[in-house]
Amino acid sequence: MAGFDLEHYLVHCRDLTNKALDDALYPGGDGDPGRLREGMRYAVLNGGKRMRPVVTIATCEACGGTPQQALPGCCSLEMVHAYSLVHDDLPAMDDDSERRGKPTVHVAFGEGPAILIGDALLTRAFEVLATGEAAYGPVLAQAVVILAREAGIDGMVGGQALDMQHGQGITELGVLEQVHARKTGALYAAGGAMGALLAGAEPKTVEAMRTWGLKFGIAFQHADDVLDDDQVALRPQALARVDELVAECNALAEPFGDKAAALHALAGWVQKRAHTAAAGDLAQD
Ligand code: GRG
């Protein structure tokens, strides 16, 4: 596993995902009422690290699948992620005017259209997932349920509500992690589970990969907090937790041997990201 080229792997996964997203967000279709189709493409294809698809591909490969098998999961997950960012940027939520170095969707397209663009991305995500190749069979229905659960009230949407309820007032790491687990961890958990499912894994393995994604996602959010200079009082505890979460991710990946090389490399990446940012050496992207 030593010598795994993560940089190359990230570029490969991003390229595959970007091509599939470009196809899934077709520019033609039945006209473009309210420029919604244009706005959906703007929201999704305007950059982004594509880390959730990378996790989906890496868990799929750990379970013996190919990157292509993971793509319906990658696209649907990235569309749900993009919808959440569009809605989170709205004046009623974070009121941000820039994302990924460009005007946010509501600035570029208007507030009403931005709500609809988010809605259309969410529904298109499930259409793309559910109409994946027939070869997947009943697995697609299970993937739909996983994504719905992790994106919904018991996952990302519930996490956003918790976050709004707490505001800046969180003083305990355990409470912060409850928010992180739902708001950010849930979509990574969906990526882990869908990658395994689309590779044809058994339920026990799907659950192990879901847990891998969840732990990775929480660590990712701790790193993001450091990058954004958030939750400063809890930082030493959060950095210690990143180390624990990464060790737990590696233990979960261990039984998969060399096929889990990407999972080990990703765990190392998030750990380095958090600690390098804390040392003040990593700028936010
Ligand atoms: C509005 C339903 C709803 C949910 C919003 C995603 C979210 C929940 C809020 C955005 C703000 C935030 C800090 C969320 C945590 C998740 C996160 C770190 C988002 C940014 O993800 P990256 O870094 O972004 O993967 P890119 O641009 O690389 O895709």
Side-chain angles (χ1 to χ4, degrees), residues 139-264:
V139 154
L140 286 180
Q142 292 172 45
V144 165
V145 172
I146 288 171
L147 184 59
R149 281 201 187 124
E150 301 292 356
I153 188 164
D154 293 321
M156 182 184 69
V157 171
Q160 177 78 346
L162 272 181
D163 196 22
M164 289 165 71
Q165 197 175 305
H166 287 294
Q168 288 302 307
I170 298 180
T171 54
E172 283 172 40
L173 191 75
V175 177
L176 182 65
E177 277 208 5
Q178 279 172 18
V179 176
H180 285 359
R182 288 169 77 161
K183 184 171 157 179
T184 309
L187 286 197
Y188 280 100
M194 285 197 293
L197 198 61
L198 294 170
E202 297 295 316
K204 221 173 91 187
T205 305
V206 173
E207 185 51 32
M209 290 291 103
R210 190 194 91 86
T211 307
W212 191 97
L214 178 64
K215 290 178 186 294
F216 177 87
I218 297 171
F220 180 90
Q221 187 57 57
H222 281 312
D224 212 59
D225 283 349
V226 180
L227 283 161
D228 286 345
D229 226 13
D230 278 343
Q231 310 295 348
V232 178
L234 293 173
R235 182 166 303 168
Q237 291 176 62
L239 286 171
R241 269 299 284 156
V242 168
D243 295 343
E244 280 175 18
L245 289 161
V246 163
E248 288 163 10
C249 281
N250 284 331
L252 282 164
E254 198 58 46
F256 297 86
D258 286 353
K259 292 200 303 294
L263 293 181
H264 289 291

Side-chain angles (χ1 to χ4, degrees), residues 47-52 78 81 83-89 93-94 99-100 151 156-157 159-160 163 183-184 187-188 220-221 224-225 228 230 273 284-285:
K49 297 182 287 302
R50 309 291 188 227
M51 290 310 293
R52 294 152 190 82
E78 202 59 19
H81 171 55
Y83 119 76
S84 78
L85 297 179
V86 172
H87 282 189
D88 188 64
D89 288 335
M93 293 216 181
D94 264 11
R99 173 157 305 270
R100 297 172 175 167
M156 182 184 69
V157 171
Q160 177 78 346
D163 196 22
K183 184 171 157 179
T184 309
L187 286 197
Y188 280 100
F220 180 90
Q221 187 57 57
D224 212 59
D225 283 349
D228 286 345
D230 278 343
R273 185 172 170 84
Q284 174 63 291
D285 42 17

Side-chain angles (χ1 to χ4, degrees), residues 267-281:
W269 172 85
V270 81
Q271 188 172 29
K272 189 170 170 209
R273 185 172 170 84
H275 285 280
T276 311
D281 291 339

